[in-house]
Amino acid sequence: MDFLVLPTALTSGTVTVPGDKSISHRALILGAIAEGRTEIEGLLAGEDCLATLSALRALGVSIDNSDDTKVLIDGVGLGGLTIPRKALDLGNSGTGMRLLAGLLCGQQFDSTLTGDESLSSRPMHRIIEPLSMMGASIDSNDGKPPLVIHGGRALTGVHYAPPVASAQVKSAILLAGLYAKGETVVIERAVTRDHTERMLRSMGAGVSGDSGHIRLQATERLEATSIKVPADLSSAAFVILATLIAKDAEVVISNVGVNPTRTGVIEILREMGGGISIENPQLVGEEPVADIRVRSSVLHGIAVDASLVSLAIDEFPVLFIAAANAVGSTQFSGIGELRVKESDRISAMANGLQQMGIKVDVSEDGAEIYYGEPSGAIIDSYGDHRVAMSFAVAATIADSVVRVRNIDAVDTSFPGFSEVLGSLGVSISIEDPDQS
Ligand code: S3P
């Protein structure tokens, strides 16, 4: 499918966006191995989380998601998962695969994790190394999926400093740590999202995190709890940018997760001149949540502080669009990790922006993007949800129609994306290229 977007003046309004993808994955996984019934409200019913949900069902967990976003899980306890009858297919989801790999290392049975073409080309060595140090046995296709995990190994806690800043790696180690003898410590070189630690704590696990050392004590059991999933700031970011670059609009996005390990995008856009305010902040369970008010603003180019990269890791595609609308030029550095996301996001974004007539210089782990007026174009999303949504946002201020190709993956993280933009007056439709 393709997006077809006509240049349109975005109008003011209040919108909601779907639940947080990272928190939804963790709620499903930890709910599955807790004791008792976990109630999740606001789960992201996107394809990534549904793949994780199906994998957990195949591992013997009873999950009722007949109500889509309100999910009930009858947890089986740390030792209650059962052998799956076939390979567990995680689709497009790196989070699903890496977190489940950590969990499955601690089981008494073998399991296999597979994924789609994009996931099958993503690096898994980053989890295989620390999990192997803990005593796990994992076969892979030269460091890539499929992963075959041999169960029945006795795991021991490690002290490990991942060479890349990654919440997925940290979480895989902590999940394996639940099954390990002794203490597990992850030493972070840069702060990454801490939803796993917060949720583990809310379920009674001994987790502490001082100055980059995250420590998990041996844990006997997790206690089921109720979890309210806030709206995903990574999805809200598309609405935030569409509003900032519009002529004269003010939009409120309600109930968004504003965990400080995620808010790099707000910090960066504010530094570029973006009028963004946080209203009605509150703590919902373990997670900070607020309404975000955005006003159209004139953006200016900056050198983005590399220390913010891990706090905005999923927002660089949309930040590239911000940069193209910022007077002067914007420099990004230390963003090499973008090359191993759902697509090579540095190349995918640079190619699309160049198609729109924007000047971009790229290096292995950075980019400089110059101000320009985007022209109509046909853009390839490379099957990457965030690339597709970023160009749909850019298209709202292009000089003529923009077609974004291959947008099916948008449903992995933001089902209803085009409806949300549509509710703010954007002329966006989904078209089957074979029928047009
Ligand atoms: C995620 C961590 C990040 C992020 C991904 C979700 C998570 O990946 O890009 O979308 O839920 O832990 P890395 O850990 O690879 O940086």
Side-chain angles (χ1 to χ4, degrees):
M1 292 295 190
D2 294 349
F3 280 141
L4 212 62
V5 188
L6 295 173
T8 19
L10 188 107
T11 54
S12 300
T14 297
V15 296
T16 53
V17 300
D20 187 278
K21 181 153 77 71
S22 294
I23 297 175
S24 295
H25 276 294
R26 287 153 173 85
L28 290 168
I29 294 172
L30 294 181
I33 54 168
E35 288 182 19
R37 174 167 277 203
T38 290
E39 276 189 34
I40 310 172
E41 247 181 75
L43 186 96
L44 168 64
E47 285 168 6
D48 275 13
C49 297
L50 294 177
T52 293
L53 187 152
S54 298
L56 292 166
R57 264 195 192 129
L59 289 160
V61 184
S62 159
I63 307 177
D64 175 358
N65 69 329
S66 46
D67 186 356
D68 226 23
T69 61
K70 190 164 181 187
V71 174
L72 301 174
I73 306 179
D74 286 318
V76 295
L78 285 171
L81 297 175
T82 53
I83 185 164
R85 285 212 309 272
K86 52 183 186 161
L88 305 171
D89 182 359
L90 278 312
N92 195 243
S93 179
T95 308
M97 180 169 290
R98 294 193 178 116
L99 268 56
L100 283 179
L103 175 69
L104 290 168
C105 284
Q107 309 306 317
Q108 293 307 311
F109 50 81
D110 294 355
S111 48
T112 300
L113 302 177
T114 63
D116 69 6
E117 197 185 327
S118 155
L119 182 53
S120 300
S121 68
R122 296 183 65 187
M124 293 295 148
H125 183 68
R126 54 184 60 194
I127 55 162
I128 295 173
E129 177 175 277
L131 295 174
S132 303
M133 284 167 64
M134 296 175 84
S137 166
I138 306 176
D139 298 329
S140 68
N141 176 20
D142 204 13
K144 303 207 162 124
L147 300 180
V148 178
I149 300 173
H150 302 285
R153 313 281 150 147
L155 304 184
T156 330
V158 274
H159 287 224
Y160 185 75
V164 285
S166 164
Q168 293 180 3
V169 172
K170 171 176 64 178
S171 302
I173 297 169
L174 293 176
L175 285 165
L178 290 172
Y179 296 88
K181 193 160 166 256
E183 188 188 51
T184 298
V185 184
V186 181
I187 302 138
E188 287 201 292
R189 58 187 54 234
V191 174
T192 66
R193 63 194 70 194
D194 64 357
H195 309 301
T196 305
E197 297 93 300
R198 286 174 189 252
M199 208 178 285
L200 276 172
R201 236 178 265 130
S202 76
M203 293 182 158
V207 184
S208 60
D210 289 331
S211 44
H213 285 55
I214 294 109
R215 295 172 186 279
L216 171 72
Q217 315 298 332
T219 300
E220 299 283 296
R221 65 195 296 268
L222 297 176
E223 196 76 55
T225 179
S226 3
I227 299 166
K228 278 198 176 130
V229 181
D232 198 330
L233 178 57
S234 298
S235 297
F238 299 105
V239 181
I240 293 175
L241 193 70
T243 310
L244 287 177
I245 64 177
K247 279 241 150 27
D248 183 21
E250 183 163 319
V251 172
V252 175
I253 312 153
S254 319
N255 266 315
V256 184
V258 287
N259 179 317
T261 62
R262 296 285 294 282
T263 47
V265 63
I266 295 176
E267 219 172 303
I268 294 167
L269 288 172
R270 275 183 175 158
E271 201 188 329
M272 295 173 85
I276 305 173
S277 41
I278 303 292
E279 298 179 349
N280 308 319
Q282 49 180 310
L283 204 60
V284 176
E286 296 289 309
E287 293 285 346
V289 176
D291 299 328
I292 299 180
R293 182 179 296 274
V294 191
R295 284 167 302 280
S296 300
S297 308
V298 175
L299 301 180
H300 56 81
I302 58 167
V304 175
D305 185 346
S307 70
L308 293 174
V309 170
S310 62
L311 308 180
I313 188 69
D314 289 337
E315 284 68 72
F316 283 91
V318 83
L319 286 170
F320 273 35
I321 304 295
N325 288 279
V327 178
S329 81
T330 300
Q331 295 105 46
F332 297 98
S333 57
I335 56 169
E337 266 297 296
L338 297 196
R339 294 204 182 271
V340 292
K341 292 293 178 188
E342 286 82 330
S343 70
D344 173 345
R345 288 183 171 162
I346 297 182
S347 294
M349 291 307 301
N351 291 347
L353 284 171
Q354 282 157 353
Q355 291 290 314
M356 296 182 108
I358 304 294
K359 181 166 152 41
V360 184
D361 293 329
V362 298
S363 65
E364 194 39 42
D365 71 344
E368 179 157 16
I369 298 170
Y370 299 81
Y371 175 82
E373 285 174 11
S375 50
I378 298 177
I379 309 282
D380 189 350
S381 75
Y382 297 87
D384 183 325
H385 54 136
R386 298 202 202 279
V387 173
M389 291 186 276
S390 298
F391 282 109
V393 168
T396 59
I397 55 154
D399 66 2
S400 62
V401 61
V402 172
R403 179 181 286 274
V404 187
R405 288 212 185 279
N406 200 4
I407 57 110
D408 298 41
V410 166
D411 283 346
T412 60
S413 67
F414 195 162
F417 168 75
S418 57
E419 286 83 353
V420 171
L421 280 195
S423 75
L424 294 171
V426 174
S427 168
I428 176 168
S429 53
I430 295 177
E431 233 189 59
D432 183 345
D434 299 329
Q435 310 286 314
S436 59

